[in-house]
Amino acid sequence: MTRKVILDVDTGSDDACAILLAYLRPEIDLVAVCTVKGNQPIENTTENTLRVRDLLKADFPVYRGCSGSLVKTTVYPRIQRTQNADAIDANGEKVHIHTPLLPLPASTRKEEDIPAPIFYVNYLMNAKEPVTLVPVGPLTNLAVALTIEPEIVKNIEEIVIMGGGWNITNATIASEFNIYDDPEAAQKVLHCGAKITMVPLDATHTAYISQEDSDELKRINTPASLFAASQLDLRILVHDQAQPLEVPHTCALHDPLCIAYLIDPDVLQDVKFCNVEVSLGGVTEGQTVVDQRAIQENRNVYFAFRGDHEKFAKIFIDAFR
Ligand code: BDR
Ligand code: CA
């Protein structure tokens, strides 16, 4: 049986790979893709998403979403990001883990006219069957939709969030980027009442993708696999220099791991049902605070502490065959 999915992306190298995986795997019925600012401004994340749609010759609708966070951009002072996601490539050039525009031709088709939060409300209030939401960028669109109409939860089967970190962080000393970028939105979504699975850095860094995996995609030699390999190579370069994983010449491929979980839940390991709260200020702003006591109240999130890299690599590569 296929699972209906709405992706919410700030495309981005790994977001692009998540779109490819969701579209190419037969287990997923990709209903729509919403965009949000995050890795890049909204103009770029939307254009990048449209470029990936063209690459796939796909016709799923794309809805442009929020251009700024709920509170963060208007309240001062807030903690500043200290993430290092740059590297020096073989030509001595400085590169970032997300290029402003993906190395694909300019898009040929536009996004829909309706903004993403309005699409969520319209679609979910009228849905005939529950749908799974997979936000892999800041959670602003969903928080706005939940503010407009909290009843949308009735038609959400599950929300699978790429975000957060327990032992691993990347944006600041305490926070992961997607949660750091809009902590108030994240806190709202975590308490909306839907089933929530969180795929944090602890899972994505252990479910790493290797140089051999990227080379296998090159051997498959399709436009989509070659593009995916180009993004993996960029990510491996940056991870090796700026965010090294346990195994050298590997990278985290955060966002597609959420899609892989929908195909095989065992790709996530050490999943604990816990109370998770988001810190909204001070040095821990954007931190996902995970209660691991035996007796606790308000459990709201299935939080994955590890991922299975072999299972993940197989699911990802098989999509391109
Ligand atoms: C998350 O931040 C973004 O840079 C990635 O696309 C991913 O969604 C990882 O912290
Ligand atoms: Ca992302």
Side-chain angles (χ1 to χ4, degrees):
M1 223 186 68
T2 60
R3 196 157 167 176
K4 281 192 180 307
V5 168
I6 300 174
L7 252 176
D8 198 309
V9 292
D10 59 329
T11 318
S13 55
D14 58 330
D15 305 74
C17 292
I19 299 169
L20 297 178
L21 183 60
Y23 182 76
L24 292 172
R25 290 290 308 213
E27 299 91 339
I28 308 287
D29 174 6
L30 188 58
V31 171
V33 179
C34 298
T35 65
V36 67
K37 54 70 220 174
N39 288 321
Q40 299 292 331
I42 189 69
E43 293 74 20
N44 295 39
T45 60
T46 305
E47 168 63 15
N48 284 338
T49 303
L50 294 170
R51 288 183 181 197
V52 176
R53 182 175 69 174
D54 279 356
L55 172 71
L56 288 165
K57 298 188 172 63
D59 57 7
F60 52 77
V62 172
Y63 295 90
R64 177 192 289 235
C66 294
S67 60
S69 303
L70 292 187
V71 180
K72 189 145 187 151
T73 44
T74 53
V75 178
Y76 182 81
R78 304 297 293 258
I79 194 165
Q80 293 304 306
R81 181 180 180 184
T82 53
Q83 179 186 32
N84 185 354
D86 298 321
I88 304 297
D89 71 10
N91 303 320
E93 303 286 334
K94 189 171 164 183
V95 293
H96 189 266
I97 200 160
H98 305 289
T99 50
L101 286 169
L102 292 174
L104 291 170
S107 65
T108 58
R109 291 168 294 155
K110 275 181 61 65
E111 70 271 27
E112 306 296 309
D113 288 336
I114 310 170
I118 306 298
F119 160 71
Y120 275 127
V121 173
N122 290 346
Y123 184 89
L124 290 167
M125 290 307 284
N126 296 303
K128 299 277 179 291
E129 56 183 295
V131 61
T132 297
L133 308 185
V134 185
V136 296
L139 289 152
T140 320
N141 288 334
L142 209 41
V144 172
L146 286 161
T147 307
I148 297 170
E149 182 48 272
E151 287 274 299
I152 59 174
V153 166
K154 70 180 181 194
N155 274 326
I156 299 176
E157 184 173 359
E158 183 173 356
I159 307 177
V160 183
I161 298 171
M162 191 287 125
W166 177 245
N167 276 318
I168 306 175
T169 62
N170 61 7
T172 68
I173 187 171
S175 67
E176 177 280 331
F177 175 75
N178 289 341
I179 308 300
Y180 156 85
D181 192 69
D182 198 340
E184 285 79 11
Q187 178 70 350
K188 182 161 185 86
V189 172
L190 294 192
H191 288 278
C192 73
K195 177 183 178 190
I196 293 179
T197 297
M198 224 167 174
V199 181
L201 296 175
D202 310 77
T204 64
H205 279 229
T206 44
Y208 54 80
I209 295 284
S210 68
Q211 188 62 60
E212 292 73 46
D213 298 327
S214 176
D215 294 344
E216 180 61 21
L217 288 171
K218 289 171 199 151
R219 279 191 289 276
I220 293 174
N221 196 24
T222 63
S225 76
L226 293 175
F227 168 72
S230 75
Q231 299 306 291
L232 295 192
D233 288 351
L234 172 64
R235 296 187 65 84
I236 290 168
L237 183 74
V238 174
H239 269 285
D240 270 351
Q241 292 182 32
Q243 301 175 33
L245 304 185
E246 268 176 35
V247 182
H249 312 312
T250 65
C251 68
L253 197 57
H254 311 287
D255 299 345
L257 188 58
C258 296
I259 303 295
Y261 157 76
L262 299 180
I263 293 160
D264 179 0
D266 290 342
V267 80
L268 298 182
Q269 302 172 322
D270 281 344
V271 181
K272 295 187 186 133
F273 190 40
C274 303
N275 177 218
V276 179
E277 305 288 337
V278 178
S279 168
L280 301 178
V283 72
T284 59
E285 182 184 316
Q287 182 178 23
T288 42
V289 183
V290 186
D291 193 345
Q292 295 190 68
R293 294 172 295 176
I295 299 175
Q296 53 173 289
E297 293 171 354
N298 304 323
R299 293 178 203 257
N300 55 340
V301 171
Y302 292 86
F303 194 91
F305 287 88
R306 285 193 68 78
D308 183 324
H309 70 92
E310 278 171 16
K311 277 200 168 74
F312 179 37
K314 182 163 177 10
I315 290 170
F316 188 72
I317 293 170
D318 280 354
F320 296 88
R321 291 190 198 284

